Amino acid sequence: MVGMMLWEPSGHWTRPVTLKEVSVLHIRFLCARMAQDRRRNPLTERRRLRTAGKKLLRQRVEQVVLPAGASAEALPEGLRPVETLPLRRAIAADWCGELLRFRGENPAGARVLITADALSGEVVRTVTELALRHRYLILKIPFGGEELCRRLRREYGVSIVLNPETEREPASVHMAFDPTEAQGGGFLPLYDESLPLPRLLLPPEVEARLPEGLDRGQLLSVLWRTGALRPGQVSVQLGETENKGAVPEIRAFCP
């Protein structure tokens, strides 16, 4: 079972940490409710996080959805935050299209570069989705790409440039599944969980059933991985601040 940590207002009789099983979209979580000090003392909150983590560990919980803005540094050894990589890669094609839209580029004519160290299922899925949306697709991978390119040409009539020795034009977006040097005008490092996720929208009836105060990316990652969220229910949106400056998730991917 996956754990979650939530802050609750502190009352006179409130225990520092309590455990209770909860359900979100029919997925069970063991929730550690932590009394939040009114003075918001960082040391007190850090101790509460660590105490809650130890209680979850004793219940054999190994992954946890953290409170929004909380650092994983306070977690005890053996307990780790939920990974967001599966979600990042699941929305990769939509993320790419939204980034191009935000930058005012025509998605159909944009050059998209995908780099990876191996041809995993996630890479195959993303390349297939991108090939159906974009005319100019470049795939750089050490081995295994020939059969994928042949299959996409045979089934969908799309062509992919595989491991070109030279490129005449830079890519509009570079999507990297493994650490590499950025190439092109927009860089989406699908291996780096430290960079912010884009704004993720859900249907209103689904949104209303999600608890507040949690790290949204981690929570949605669990729900996606377990099948509680289905393809088409998560949409990517990039926007601007009131002063027309790019929001942080834009600046991070447009060097």
Side-chain angles (χ1 to χ4, degrees), residues 89-126:
R89 295 175 177 187
I91 64 171
D94 292 338
W95 198 348
C96 174
E98 182 66 5
L99 180 56
L100 289 169
R101 181 203 64 78
F102 183 85
R103 296 170 62 187
E105 298 188 45
N106 181 4
R111 294 168 60 86
V112 180
L113 169 65
I114 305 99
T115 59
D117 289 344
L119 193 64
S120 66
E122 293 171 322
V123 175
V124 171
R125 182 182 63 247
T126 300

Side-chain angles (χ1 to χ4, degrees), residues 147-205:
E147 177 56 34
L148 174 62
C149 293
R150 284 195 294 266
R151 180 174 66 80
L152 290 176
R153 174 180 282 276
R154 182 174 63 251
E155 295 182 4
Y156 302 109
V158 296
S159 297
I160 298 176
V161 178
L162 180 64
N163 296 327
E165 294 183 1
T166 59
E167 296 178 34
R168 290 174 295 180
E169 300 178 24
S172 299
V173 177
H174 174 194
M175 307 176 68
F177 281 82
D178 297 281
T180 187
E181 183 178 351
Q183 304 173 46
F187 185 45
L188 295 181
L190 300 173
Y191 54 84
D192 189 353
E193 294 191 86
S194 68
L195 294 179
L197 277 161
R199 187 174 294 108
L200 302 177
L201 304 182
L202 303 174
E205 64 276 11

Side-chain angles (χ1 to χ4, degrees), residues 46 103 138 182:
R46 185 180 179 88
R103 296 170 62 187
I138 304 163

Side-chain angles (χ1 to χ4, degrees), residues 15 39 54 71 137 148 161 191 230 249:
R15 294 181 180 179
R39 293 172 294 180
K54 290 180 178 179
S71 171
L137 204 63
L148 174 62
V161 178
Y191 54 84
R230 301 184 299 276
E249 71 243 20

